[in-house]
Structures are given as C-alpha cells and as structure tokens.
Amino acid sequence: MDFELAYQVFLSPMTFSNYLRFPLSTNDVYAFNKDISTDLFGYVEEESMGSEYKYGMFTNDLPSKQALMEQYWHSKLLLSDYLDEKPYANAEFLVFNNIPAHLLEGFINNQKAGE
C-alpha cells in the first residue's frame, strides 16, 4: 500500500455539492483511526515551522512520531470490518487502488452531471 497514491473517500456525499460517487468495494476501502493521524499532524506542524519551532510545541504529550505511525498503520481495517465493529469514533477512509472510470458518477451542485 502506497500512501502517496492513496486518496480519501467519504461514505456519504451529503456535505459536498460537487463530488464523484462510486460503489464501495470493501476490499478496496480501508478505515484508519483519524485521531492518530491528527496527533501525527502535530509533528508535521512542528517540522514546518522553521525558526519558530520549539521542540514539543504541539507534541509534548504525544507518543513518538514512530510510535504514532505504527499505531496508525495497525488501526487499518477493511471497510466491512470497520462497519461491523465501528471501533473508532473518528475514522478516515482511504482507497489504495484505482477506481475504473465506468464506475464513477459525477455530481455538480448535487445534480448528476449530464442530466
């Protein structure tokens, strides 16, 4: 799995006016614990601050970056397993495979494109 090629999906397009929709294959969609990625973002923030950076500014009470990365990876569940268990109050859903174009439906301002 290559996170550089992954993209985030949402289980419901309700809050978006423009979106692509496709049938979810539970073998292509994974759930991860988003709370862990939020903690990891603290390290990204600190690293991008340059001279304003103070070690631990956002991460003082957090496990190490390496430990968080391992926890995030271990939180990975197939969508079907996540839906059965719902172990995370805050999940993010990622796809690591290409979705064939014929499965995509586009919507603009909540209206199906082409209609």
Side-chain angles (χ1 to χ4, degrees):
M1 294 182 164
D2 186 348
F3 278 94
E4 300 243 344
L5 302 176
Y7 51 96
Q8 187 173 17
V9 297
F10 300 89
L11 299 186
S12 173
M14 299 291 186
T15 59
F16 301 98
S17 62
N18 303 314
Y19 58 93
L20 290 174
R21 181 173 69 185
F22 59 91
L24 290 177
S25 166
T26 57
N27 292 327
D28 291 332
V29 181
Y30 290 88
F32 291 84
N33 187 337
K34 190 172 183 173
D35 291 334
I36 299 171
S37 64
T38 300
D39 288 345
L40 276 166
F41 190 71
Y43 284 97
V44 173
E45 283 290 302
E46 285 182 349
E47 291 169 2
S48 68
M49 293 186 71
S51 62
E52 299 173 31
Y53 167 73
K54 291 182 182 176
Y55 179 77
M57 190 177 236
F58 301 115
T59 60
N60 187 44
D61 297 331
L62 296 177
S64 71
K65 184 177 177 181
Q66 180 67 32
L68 286 171
M69 290 170 65
E70 289 173 12
Q71 288 173 19
Y72 182 78
W73 184 251
H74 291 305
S75 77
K76 176 184 72 150
L77 290 172
L78 281 171
L79 178 60
S80 59
D81 294 335
Y82 172 80
L83 293 174
D84 287 343
E85 302 169 20
K86 294 192 179 172
Y88 316 129
N90 193 11
E92 62 185 341
F93 304 97
L94 300 175
V95 175
F96 293 90
N97 298 321
N98 291 325
I99 304 299
H102 71 276
L103 294 178
L104 297 174
E105 292 181 290
F107 291 81
I108 299 171
N109 296 323
N110 291 317
Q111 299 293 318
K112 188 171 181 178
E115 290 187 352

